[in-house]
Amino acid sequence: GYRLKEKKIKNYLSNHDDSRLKIRMFMYERSAYQKMEKPDTLNRPKQYFKMIKLASSLGDEQLLSELYCKYAALCTPSKKLYYLLKCIAIRERIGSSYFSDISANYYLATELLYGIGDYKNSAIGSRPCWRFLFKNQQTKSCNTLLQAYR
């Protein structure tokens, strides 16, 4: 199962310098810990920032965007907004079809903008979120957003 594959990949990484695989493995391990609801000492901003630096050198914007999103979730609110906006900018450039959670990124960014009193940019930033949500008929998320902005 998973543990055997994880062991094989880690063994491979100990003998090969594959930055992309190292980053993906890091991300999958973090997700596995969350799914199993186990404590994870590596699910910290410092660890994700190391992976962001590594991904930057690869030039893989999709991977970088995913890391920005994960990093933002662990940051203080002041850093969270910055990294969410970086994530969204990349995702808009690449195309939203590659990302399943883009509406959540828009929602969080507009919520943070609203929280700091930047109502105009919060409203402007919510437009793509609404388009994406309605286009994909995610009514539950739309209802949550409607309640938040009432």
Side-chain angles (χ1 to χ4, degrees):
Y2 173 78
R3 294 283 180 205
L4 180 61
K5 289 178 184 177
E6 178 186 30
K7 187 176 179 180
K8 285 181 179 180
I9 293 171
K10 285 185 176 184
N11 186 42
Y12 174 84
L13 286 172
S14 68
N15 298 313
H16 299 85
D17 186 28
D18 188 333
S19 298
R20 185 171 279 107
L21 183 57
K22 180 180 179 180
I23 294 167
R24 284 284 176 209
M25 188 64 190
F26 173 82
M27 292 172 65
Y28 291 140
E29 284 177 322
R30 306 295 64 80
S31 293
Y33 276 100
Q34 287 176 335
K35 296 273 187 227
M36 295 184 286
E37 298 180 2
K38 289 188 172 186
D40 182 4
T41 59
L42 294 178
N43 197 30
R44 303 278 184 260
K46 184 178 179 180
Q47 298 300 322
Y48 274 97
F49 197 73
K50 285 181 186 178
M51 295 297 134
I52 287 171
K53 287 167 60 173
L54 191 56
S56 294
S57 68
L58 296 173
D60 184 335
E61 285 199 313
Q62 182 175 350
L63 184 59
L64 194 55
S65 174
E66 291 174 44
L67 286 166
Y68 284 152
C69 180
K70 299 288 187 186
Y71 182 67
L74 299 170
C75 286
T76 61
S78 60
K79 285 186 179 181
K80 183 178 291 209
L81 180 58
Y82 175 77
Y83 284 98
L84 274 173
L85 293 175
K86 287 179 72 77
C87 166
I88 289 168
I90 291 172
R91 291 176 180 203
E92 286 178 344
R93 199 167 41 251
I94 292 173
S96 61
S97 62
Y98 294 99
F99 305 98
S100 62
D101 62 345
I102 194 163
S103 62
N105 298 136
Y106 282 118
Y107 175 77
L108 291 172
T110 57
E111 184 178 53
L112 287 165
L113 286 164
Y114 187 86
I116 61 171
D118 190 347
Y119 307 120
K120 182 179 179 180
N121 282 321
S122 178
I124 291 169
S126 69
R127 287 181 192 151
C129 181
W130 289 107
R131 279 195 305 272
F132 181 79
L133 290 171
F134 286 121
K135 179 181 167 187
N136 293 295
Q137 299 175 349
Q138 296 179 2
T139 54
K140 184 177 179 183
S141 297
C142 289
N143 289 337
T144 302
L145 283 171
L146 281 170
Q147 290 171 358
Y149 284 99
R150 285 190 179 155

